Amino acid sequence: MATTRCASSLRRNSPTFRDGYFCAPLFALMRLRHLFAPLLFLLSLSVLAQRYSVSGYVTDSATGEALIGASVFIEEIGKGVGTNNYGYYSATLPQGEYTLVVKYIGYADLRRKVDLTADRKVNLKLRTTVQVMQAVEVKSDRTKSDLESTDMGRMDVDVTKLQTLPALLGEVDILKTIQYLPGVQSNGEGNSGFYVRGGGPDQNLILLDEATVYNASHLFGFFSVFNADAVKDIELIKGGMPAYYGGRTSSVLAITMKDGNDQEFHGEGGIGLISSRLTLEGPIVKERSSFIVSARRTYVDVLAKPFINPESTFAGSGYYFYDINAKANYRLSDKDRFFLSGYFGRDVFDLNGNQPGSPKFKIPWGNATVSGRWNHVFGPKLFLNTTAIISDYKFSFAGGQDQFGFKLSSGIRDYGLKVDFNLYPNIRHNVRYGFQYTYHIYTPSTVAVNSGDVPFNIDTPSKLNAHEAAVYVQDDFDITDRLRLNAGLRFSWFAHVGPFHEYITDAAGNTTGTRDYGSGDIIAQYSGIEPRVALRYSLDKKNSLKASVNRNMQYVHLASFSSIGLPTDTWIPSGKNVKPQEAVQYALGWFRDLKERKYEGSIEVYYKDMANQIEYAEGASPQDGGNANYDFALVFGKGWSYGAELFLKRRLGKLTGWVGYTWSKTERKFPDVDNGEPFPSRWDRRNDISVVAGYELNDRWTFGGTFVYSTGQAATLPVQRYFIEGRLVSRFTQRNGFRMAAYHRMDLAATLKNKPTKQVTDPTTGEVSTVQRKYRSSWTFSIYNIYNRKNPYFYYFDASGNTGTVGLTIQAKQVSLFSILPSVTWNFEF
């Protein structure tokens, strides 16, 4: 065995042999050199072949922004590496001279000669280049084809091009853009909520600079909380989830904020029909530290106020939302960098009657996140990122009339720590490992009631506390030039802990007593192993096959009373009766490049099995919960989803865009629903089609268009109504047994930019020269729902005639939100 290890180490050129330490079996071979001279010659070459690393950062030369996913290609060996989320790369190679070719979409290629006789640090700065760019570039990898990576169901969206797409009321929306991708479905008319491969909204892990965002929408779901001006990178993973992500069973949406320009002061913004935004960025210390601050606010309340009669019942009512993004970074040394970023956003809805006895309501809700990150380079092969996180979501509904008042509130707060390592042992391997910890504090639906100054004694649920932790390791490596494997393993643990006041119930659900848990007492705990495997096999230079298998566990749940995302939805932990969600997903795909990568196409099929799904029981309502445990109104079951996704993208030329089609089926099975029979999920859509196109006419005019079609949403509606002893009784369909009308819509947009250059006359010589403008602006004209489709938002039933008589007529009616909506937005930058 010792001989085997020695030979293996020689083949790998380990540091032990490079430094001249030889094991006993090698000396034995040397004594027999007359028999093994040829072998000894080859072994000596292996020992003498020194290996060194070239590493550094790839950044934008004008702003200092790190370029995520840039390709650093080593021309002599025909292989390359990519930069990580902080722009860092590393490649370990035999001693020699090499040519590094650095590529990133929108930037000129950079070639750099490197004489690798020792470990070298080479920072690479790329310059933007003028080229025909697509209106919105959706990339599975920024420089290399889908054929080369093991990624399945992974997409990146170029944020800088979002403004050329048509948008509802001119509001550029990141979440609405990803809804155009296959396998991602909209939550409904104008809604920014999204569902991935049959999963629910709580099964999407949404991260902003690594902090979890629990409610990603403004205005009851019509706009997302992400201001595109402050965002640098968007990564969506809907299959083949890497081991370093966890805690959700469907997808990951990782959003990275800009670092800020470390070269010069810069600003941009826009004024639209319902909101305005402004972003400022610049150096704190040039080429060492920078900042960015971005703010946005709606002003419908301000604009509408002059037109509301001050004598009207609700003259004091209004609605607005705002959000602020801020980030600063500082390079402490060549090996250490620090980042501090934060987000704060709120929606505020007021309903204030100015008449005596009129009801008054105030409904604020929103998110706040803080992320502090420290990067450290231990050596050219080892990169560390440590992140400390605070995430907070709160919802409140306070109201009253005369002397009576009440308040309903819920929320969740996280304190987290992540430690992630990137190890680059050689050109074929990219290893990631680390650990993650989060302390959760849940506030379930809590009710407070008062009459004047006298509060009612309502025993509402306790706050819930939980620990969540995970360790992981993953290796992405080339087995051969055709076969690449990404193998990862994640171990996760969760514990619901005290203090906690538990209600003890009998079989009928009646409370028979209570039990108190002390601080830190474990009430329930769970753990599990989550393997992640993805494989890519290259058939030739234009075709590859991929397969992946994931197992994911999720310890937090979203209990929702509606098919649309509302702030009343409540986050709750796994506990004694609420088991963690589990999902196993299998996927297989074929990927092909067409016409020298002018087109890219893919077909993916998947099957997902889901366990321990939750729903509210029939008849439950948000204000329930007094004298009961937080999980008293929940029912539990399982689900499954399977489907096929087709994607064809045109990458280059004046006309760019993509076509996506998804066929899928998603079902649930709950013992307490429909007698245990399977029923369609709320997120079941049989057919989903999206078409996105952009056309760049010249350097001033750009046109964009989108078309979507999807099978109608599943809903539960009454199919018969009749009278029993004078009471109107309804008989409903099977759970989600009714299909709304199909949804389809077309939007168009046109963007006009001002001229990028201007003529300047020298006052002394009279010479006329052309210079770049310091101030740029553009107008975006958009039409939402251009053919005025009346898409259903919900149905209700209208009764006419006298109750209890033969003449009573009940008619179902459809409510549609948006007809044709034109908008205009002025964007500027300086």
Side-chain angles (χ1 to χ4, degrees):
M1 294 297 293
T3 304
T4 303
R5 282 198 302 271
C6 181
S8 176
S9 297
L10 282 169
R11 286 194 298 271
R12 291 193 302 268
N13 192 31
S14 71
T16 302
F17 279 85
R18 192 171 65 218
D19 296 337
Y21 295 94
F22 295 87
C23 56
L26 182 57
F27 286 113
L29 289 175
M30 293 176 66
R31 295 189 192 100
L32 300 175
R33 59 186 178 275
H34 60 284
L35 296 177
F36 300 104
L39 176 60
L40 290 173
F41 176 73
L42 293 176
L43 290 174
S44 64
L45 288 180
S46 176
V47 173
L48 294 174
Q50 301 284 357
R51 289 180 176 268
Y52 300 105
S53 298
V54 54
S55 61
Y57 291 89
V58 179
T59 58
D60 184 312
S61 62
T63 67
E65 288 277 357
L67 300 182
I68 302 172
S71 172
V72 182
F73 185 76
I74 296 90
E75 199 169 62
E76 286 75 11
I77 65 173
K79 295 184 179 297
V81 295
T83 58
N84 67 9
N85 287 344
Y86 300 93
Y88 184 80
Y89 77 95
S90 176
T92 300
L93 306 163
Q95 177 179 328
E97 292 187 358
Y98 297 95
T99 304
L100 306 182
V101 182
V102 190
K103 296 185 177 183
Y104 195 81
I105 286 183
Y107 291 79
D109 291 356
L110 175 67
R111 300 173 66 87
R112 178 72 61 85
K113 289 282 188 180
V114 177
D115 187 6
L116 207 58
T117 56
D119 290 340
R120 294 282 306 277
K121 180 181 178 181
V122 181
N123 292 329
L124 303 163
K125 297 184 177 182
L126 303 188
R127 296 182 177 182
T128 58
T129 183
V130 178
Q131 56 180 281
V132 177
M133 293 288 293
Q134 45 270 54
V136 173
E137 170 67 8
V138 174
K139 311 173 289 295
S140 292
D141 192 275
R142 293 168 177 76
T143 55
K144 59 186 179 182
S145 166
D146 260 342
L147 302 180
E148 301 176 42
S149 72
T150 56
D151 297 332
M152 292 195 69
R154 180 182 181 272
M155 301 283 183
D156 293 276
V157 179
D158 186 353
V159 189
T160 62
K161 307 304 174 183
L162 291 181
Q163 291 178 355
T164 59
L165 273 186
L168 176 62
L169 296 173
E171 280 295 302
V172 175
D173 197 310
I174 291 171
L175 298 187
K176 287 192 178 71
T177 301
I178 67 171
Q179 292 172 4
Y180 297 130
L181 301 173
V184 183
Q185 297 168 342
S186 167
N187 194 17
E189 175 72 277
N191 202 289
S192 62
F194 65 99
Y195 308 98
V196 177
R197 291 184 173 178
D202 61 324
Q203 296 174 357
N204 302 316
L205 178 63
I206 302 177
L207 301 173
L208 179 63
D209 274 0
E210 300 192 47
T212 302
V213 178
Y214 283 97
N215 188 314
S217 63
H218 286 304
L219 190 56
F220 302 101
F222 291 112
F223 302 105
S224 77
V225 300
F226 304 112
N227 183 352
D229 290 347
V231 172
K232 173 169 66 175
D233 185 74
I234 306 169
E235 177 189 49
L236 173 69
I237 301 173
K238 53 192 175 76
M241 193 182 295
Y244 50 86
Y245 287 128
R248 298 296 187 275
T249 57
S250 278
S251 73
V252 177
L253 180 65
I255 298 174
T256 304
M257 289 172 55
K258 293 177 181 176
D259 297 330
N261 193 320
D262 69 1
Q263 302 293 313
E264 59 184 8
F265 184 78
H266 175 73
E268 63 179 310
I271 300 175
L273 292 180
I274 66 168
S275 72
S276 291
R277 62 191 195 279
L278 177 66
T279 300
L280 302 175
E281 58 180 322
I284 300 173
V285 178
K286 191 171 183 179
E287 297 185 350
R288 180 172 288 270
S289 67
S290 62
F291 76 93
I292 182 171
V293 177
S294 185
R296 177 177 59 162
R297 190 195 192 278
T298 58
Y299 35 68
V300 174
D301 57 326
V302 178
L303 296 178
K305 190 173 183 179
F307 302 98
I308 298 177
N309 186 344
E311 301 300 324
S312 68
T313 305
F314 302 110
S317 303
Y319 168 83
Y320 63 92
F321 71 75
Y322 64 91
D323 47 45
I324 301 172
N325 297 79
K327 187 173 184 178
N329 70 90
Y330 191 85
R331 191 174 75 246
L332 303 172
S333 66
D334 289 341
K335 292 188 175 183
D336 296 276
R337 300 185 179 200
F338 181 74
F339 303 82
L340 181 64
S341 57
Y343 166 85
F344 184 85
R346 281 292 182 269
D347 289 65
V348 179
F349 177 66
D350 290 309
L351 182 64
N352 295 316
N354 61 0
Q355 303 297 325
S358 298
K360 295 184 179 181
F361 298 98
K362 189 177 184 67
I363 313 175
W365 72 92
N367 301 274
T369 67
V370 178
S371 301
R373 288 175 289 174
W374 169 51
N375 294 169
H376 179 72
V377 180
F378 286 98
K381 295 182 181 182
L382 186 60
F383 180 94
L384 164 69
N385 178 62
T386 301
T387 307
I389 298 165
I390 300 175
S391 177
D392 184 71
Y393 170 69
K394 292 179 180 178
F395 166 77
S396 177
F397 185 115
Q401 187 172 13
D402 296 328
Q403 295 295 310
F404 177 78
F406 74 94
K407 183 177 182 181
L408 172 69
S409 59
S410 63
I412 179 172
R413 174 173 289 187
D414 288 349
Y415 299 93
L417 179 68
K418 300 180 181 179
V419 179
D420 302 291
F421 293 89
N422 286 83
L423 176 65
Y424 307 93
N426 56 52
I427 196 70
R428 287 185 175 270
H429 289 263
N430 183 353
V431 180
R432 294 188 64 163
Y433 59 94
F435 69 87
Q436 302 160 358
Y437 169 77
T438 304
Y439 181 66
H440 301 283
I441 303 174
Y442 302 83
T443 303
S445 294
T446 302
V447 181
V449 181
N450 67 279
S451 179
D453 296 330
V454 180
F456 290 92
N457 184 18
I458 297 179
D459 197 1
T460 56
S462 308
K463 285 191 175 182
L464 311 173
N465 305 278
H467 300 285
E468 184 174 358
V471 294
Y472 72 89
V473 61
Q474 172 184 291
D475 190 7
D476 191 13
F477 64 97
D478 291 315
I479 299 174
T480 68
D481 289 342
R482 290 196 171 200
L483 188 62
R484 186 176 183 87
L485 176 66
N486 185 307
L489 192 64
R490 181 184 182 91
F491 175 79
S492 57
W493 170 80
F494 182 91
H496 177 203
V497 298
F500 180 63
H501 184 67
E502 180 185 17
Y503 294 93
I504 302 172
T505 59
D506 58 21
N510 300 313
T511 300
T512 59
T514 62
R515 178 186 301 144
D516 288 309
Y517 291 87
S519 179
D521 291 348
I522 294 180
I523 302 163
Q525 63 178 326
Y526 301 93
S527 62
I529 295 177
E530 306 173 42
R532 317 281 177 82
V533 178
L535 191 68
R536 179 228 68 202
Y537 182 75
S538 297
L539 300 173
D540 52 39
K541 292 184 178 180
K542 294 184 178 181
N543 295 273
S544 68
L545 296 176
K546 299 183 186 182
S548 67
V549 180
N550 304 340
R551 182 176 188 262
N552 298 68
M553 298 190 69
Q554 177 172 330
Y555 300 100
V556 297
H557 313 259
L558 184 66
S560 176
F561 289 96
S562 172
S563 60
I564 61 174
L566 293 176
T568 53
D569 297 345
T570 303
W571 290 92
I572 59 176
S574 298
K576 272 190 173 181
N577 300 317
V578 183
K579 294 181 172 58
Q581 299 183 55
E582 299 179 25
V584 178
Q585 181 175 221
Y586 310 88
L588 182 66
W590 171 45
F591 297 79
R592 179 175 172 82
D593 284 347
L594 304 166
K595 294 189 176 181
E596 298 180 351
R597 292 198 64 203
K598 188 174 184 179
Y599 296 89
E600 290 183 1
S602 65
I603 299 175
E604 292 187 49
V605 294
Y606 70 90
Y607 179 86
K608 183 193 294 185
D609 196 29
M610 296 169 279
N612 303 327
Q613 306 297 289
I614 73 167
E615 295 276 359
Y616 270 118
E618 296 289 347
S621 59
Q623 66 270 21
D624 295 338
N627 298 316
N629 296 320
Y630 69 93
D631 55 8
F632 83 104
L634 300 177
V635 293
F636 309 95
K638 62 181 180 180
W640 53 89
S641 179
Y642 52 91
E645 301 167 2
L646 285 74
F647 189 57
L648 178 63
K649 175 177 62 176
R650 179 183 167 102
R651 301 181 62 255
L652 303 173
K654 286 184 172 292
L655 177 64
T656 57
W658 71 89
V659 177
Y661 171 73
T662 303
W663 182 95
S664 63
K665 188 172 184 178
T666 304
E667 292 184 311
R668 297 286 192 267
K669 186 176 182 180
F670 284 66
D672 298 321
V673 177
D674 286 346
N675 299 315
E677 294 296 321
F679 60 90
S681 165
R682 285 179 290 172
W683 310 291
D684 179 49
R685 304 281 198 281
R686 196 68 68 246
N687 296 283
D688 193 275
I689 302 171
S690 60
V691 180
V692 177
Y695 182 75
E696 188 168 351
L697 181 65
N698 49 46
D699 60 356
R700 298 194 63 193
W701 279 102
T702 302
F703 299 92
T706 60
F707 172 78
V708 292
Y709 172 91
S710 65
T711 301
Q713 185 172 329
T716 306
L717 294 179
V719 290
Q720 287 183 341
R721 285 186 169 177
Y722 47 90
F723 288 96
I724 298 179
E725 298 179 352
R727 286 189 310 111
L728 184 63
V729 178
S730 300
R731 187 171 71 85
F732 289 84
T733 64
Q734 176 196 32
R735 176 69 69 94
N736 299 327
F738 175 82
R739 286 285 174 183
M740 294 185 180
Y743 182 94
H744 53 89
R745 190 191 78 243
M746 178 182 287
D747 309 326
L748 296 176
T751 300
L752 173 64
K753 301 176 183 177
N754 70 341
K755 293 182 178 180
T757 59
K758 62 179 181 178
Q759 303 292 321
V760 177
T761 303
D762 189 305
T764 304
T765 64
E767 182 179 351
V768 179
S769 59
T770 301
V771 298
Q772 293 287 329
R773 292 182 183 270
K774 292 183 178 180
Y775 305 94
R776 299 293 308 274
S777 66
S778 66
W779 291 90
T780 298
F781 308 93
S782 180
I783 302 177
Y784 181 90
N785 194 9
I786 192 168
Y787 56 81
N788 201 28
R789 162 72 175 175
K790 302 295 185 183
N791 287 302
Y793 188 64
F794 65 84
Y795 294 97
Y796 73 96
F797 292 86
D798 183 46
S800 59
N802 296 322
T803 303
T805 67
V806 179
L808 179 65
T809 302
I810 299 176
Q811 183 179 10
K813 294 188 176 182
Q814 173 183 303
V815 174
S816 300
L817 286 184
F818 301 117
S819 58
I820 183 170
L821 283 176
S823 63
V824 59
T825 304
W826 178 59
N827 301 299
F828 59 89
E829 59 180 284
F830 55 89

